[in-house]
Amino acid sequence: ENLEWVTNETNVQRAWAAGTHHKLVGEKNPLSALSAKQVRIIRQLLAQNVSMNSLAQLLLVNPETIRKIANGVSWKSLT
């Protein structure tokens, strides 16, 4: 038989090792507060020295969300 009872942690580790687990990034993540288009606009406005706090208020997101985009911590997959 090819089935084995394992913990969820072990199952996820095996899925990553086998290449069958896909990370949900960007808009594919159901918890994403922003769209790819919004992130591109945020980057353009940051380049024009618009403040992170102003962008956060405008888009109704936490300033930390904007900071992570600005520092390349989140939305790394979007070029």
Side-chain angles (χ1 to χ4, degrees):
E1 190 160 321
N2 65 346
L3 297 177
E4 175 184 11
W5 287 102
V6 295
T7 65
N8 184 55
E9 181 181 0
T10 300
N11 192 38
V12 170
Q13 288 172 348
R14 289 180 180 178
W16 277 102
T20 57
H21 186 276
H22 303 287
K23 189 173 182 182
L24 297 176
V25 295
E27 292 178 332
K28 293 180 183 177
N29 184 336
L31 299 177
S32 177
L34 299 168
S35 68
K37 183 177 181 179
Q38 288 173 313
V39 172
R40 286 187 186 98
I41 292 169
I42 289 168
R43 289 178 177 162
Q44 290 172 354
L45 292 172
L46 289 170
Q48 296 173 15
N49 295 319
V50 175
S51 78
M52 291 184 206
N53 285 334
S54 297
L55 291 172
Q57 288 176 351
L58 179 68
L59 295 166
L60 303 175
V61 297
N62 190 305
E64 183 70 7
T65 301
I66 304 298
R67 187 192 68 74
K68 286 181 179 179
I69 292 168
N71 293 330
V73 174
S74 62
W75 287 91
K76 292 182 276 190
S77 62
L78 185 65
T79 57

